[in-house]
Amino acid sequence: MTRVLVTGVRGKTGVPLAQALMARPGVDVLGGSSDPRTVTLEGVQPTALSWDNESTWATATGGVDAVYVVRPDRADAPELIDALLTGLAAETRVVLLSERNADSLGPHSWAARTEQVVRSSGRPWTILRPSWFMQVLTDERFYLGPVVEEGELAFSSGGASVAWIDARDIAAVAERALLDDGHEGQVYELTGPESLTLPKVADQLSAAVGRRVTLRETTIAETLEGLSGFERDLTMWTFERVHAGDFAPVTDTVEHVTGRPAQSLESFLTDSAAQLKRG
Ligand SMILES: NC(=O)c1ccc[n+]([C@@H]2O[C@H](COP(=O)([O-])OP(=O)(O)OC[C@H]3O[C@@H](n4cnc5c(N)ncnc54)[C@H](OP(=O)(O)O)[C@@H]3O)[C@@H](O)[C@H]2O)c1
């Protein structure tokens, strides 16, 4: 049996990744969570793994052949990931969920340093650099409520396009990198099949919700309101990169790795129509 630890197993990529891994024969999936009682995916072994509690790490990673690391969005992510990987057997595969063009802010930026600890871990590694997840649009913590209840998509794009990606496509790439040969030392820039301006996204949301969704283009300052500390910094860096067009270019990496084209936003929204209409 191949044992794979999926950190963040309840998250946007963690759920489809665990499902994809479970569908492969001879794979045991350990589902990492800060609260393993909430891991209810059938066949997945709930596994305590909290970035706040280092004492959970040795048990979670013991005897695993591969680990999917969902980068924790906190200032000490490089140090935390470095410490987690140090405890792994030398041959354990590591797949890091990073972000699109993670080194665009320079080699000493937080995102680049987080990747660097994986590259220098001495373990076989693959880095995934996805664009914005389509699932953000159906996440009640972000857009789902306002989109459905107020008919408004508030976003700060500065007029730039975003090449949205379906988290299920990220999971499909992660599954290959965790289990198959040929992905070691690869940095995969992952996007969906097209780059869309925000008015176009609002049009597609309108069709899926069944009523008009209006785009409200916000400033970065508005986006930062109420945020503080590292969360504020990370949000600012991210939206500055959106405005600079960092998330616009389309890649064909999903198709190259999985053998099938990446999902379009339109098909994702069609799949999500019932959820969007319920709100
Ligand atoms: N969302 C996007 O559009 C996007 C785009 C590019 C890159 N990314 C990157 O992808 C990563 C995931 O982001 P996301 O927003 O999609 O989040 P997510 O994977 O949907 O959720 C985050 C996960 O972190 C886990 N978690 C929370 N607190 C934890 C703790 N103390 N210890 C261990 N695990 C903990 C949560 O699970 P439990 O509550 O079960 O612990 C949850 O599964 C981030 O690094 C983000 O920057 C996101």
Side-chain angles (χ1 to χ4, degrees):
M1 287 300 261
T2 302
R3 281 166 70 82
V4 181
L5 170 65
V6 177
T7 71
V9 78
R10 296 194 308 129
K12 296 184 197 70
T13 58
V15 171
L17 174 58
Q19 287 166 338
L21 293 169
M22 293 295 299
R24 295 275 295 255
V27 179
D28 272 343
V29 181
L30 283 65
S33 168
S34 59
D35 183 358
R37 292 167 305 179
T38 57
V39 177
T40 54
L41 289 163
E42 205 180 329
V44 170
Q45 298 176 34
T47 303
L49 189 141
S50 172
W51 294 112
D52 297 312
N53 184 358
E54 197 168 341
S55 71
T56 58
W57 301 359
T59 307
T61 59
V64 300
D65 301 289
V67 181
Y68 178 67
V69 179
V70 173
R71 179 188 67 178
D73 284 347
R74 41 195 275 179
D76 57 354
E79 293 76 22
L80 289 171
I81 294 174
D82 192 25
L84 182 82
L85 302 192
T86 302
L88 298 176
E91 66 281 3
T92 308
R93 279 185 184 168
V94 177
V95 176
L96 174 72
L97 180 65
S98 178
E99 68 182 56
R100 187 90 167 90
N101 286 325
D103 47 10
S104 69
L105 296 180
H108 303 297
S109 65
W110 169 82
R113 286 188 296 112
T114 306
E115 289 190 350
Q116 189 50 42
V117 298
V118 173
R119 293 169 194 262
S120 56
S121 66
R123 276 74 185 166
W125 58 263
T126 308
I127 291 173
L128 310 185
R129 291 180 168 181
S131 184
W132 279 63
F133 302 175
M134 295 174 187
Q135 277 73 3
V136 168
L137 296 168
T138 53
D139 186 332
E140 65 272 14
R141 290 174 304 164
F142 300 104
Y143 293 108
L144 186 58
V147 161
V148 176
E149 286 152 28
E150 294 152 37
E152 180 179 275
L153 172 67
F155 196 93
S156 186
S157 76
S161 301
V162 173
W164 302 80
I165 183 166
D166 191 324
R168 293 172 295 186
D169 285 329
I170 304 169
V173 172
E175 175 218 327
R176 272 41 165 218
L178 288 160
L179 297 180
D180 300 338
D181 293 334
H183 303 288
E184 185 178 339
Q186 298 295 317
V187 177
Y188 288 138
E189 301 276 358
L190 303 173
T191 75
E194 59 191 340
S195 197
L196 298 169
T197 60
L198 268 294
K200 188 80 186 160
V201 174
D203 285 347
Q204 294 194 4
L205 272 167
S206 303
V209 176
R211 69 185 178 91
R212 186 70 214 151
V213 174
T214 311
L215 171 68
R216 182 164 64 87
E217 180 70 43
T218 58
T219 62
I220 294 179
E222 279 175 84
T223 306
L224 299 179
E225 274 169 21
L227 302 181
S228 60
F230 182 76
E231 187 184 10
R232 186 178 193 284
D233 292 343
L234 183 59
T235 305
M236 185 181 69
W237 299 330
T238 305
F239 279 98
E240 283 177 353
R241 299 208 305 115
V242 170
H243 282 223
D246 263 21
F247 294 90
V250 170
T251 73
D252 62 359
T253 315
V254 169
E255 183 161 10
H256 176 72
V257 173
T258 67
R260 54 170 181 71
Q263 289 267 0
S264 67
L265 182 67
E266 197 163 24
S267 79
F268 166 76
L269 292 173
T270 302
D271 289 352
S272 312
Q275 189 188 356
L276 281 163
K277 284 181 177 143
R278 270 199 315 274

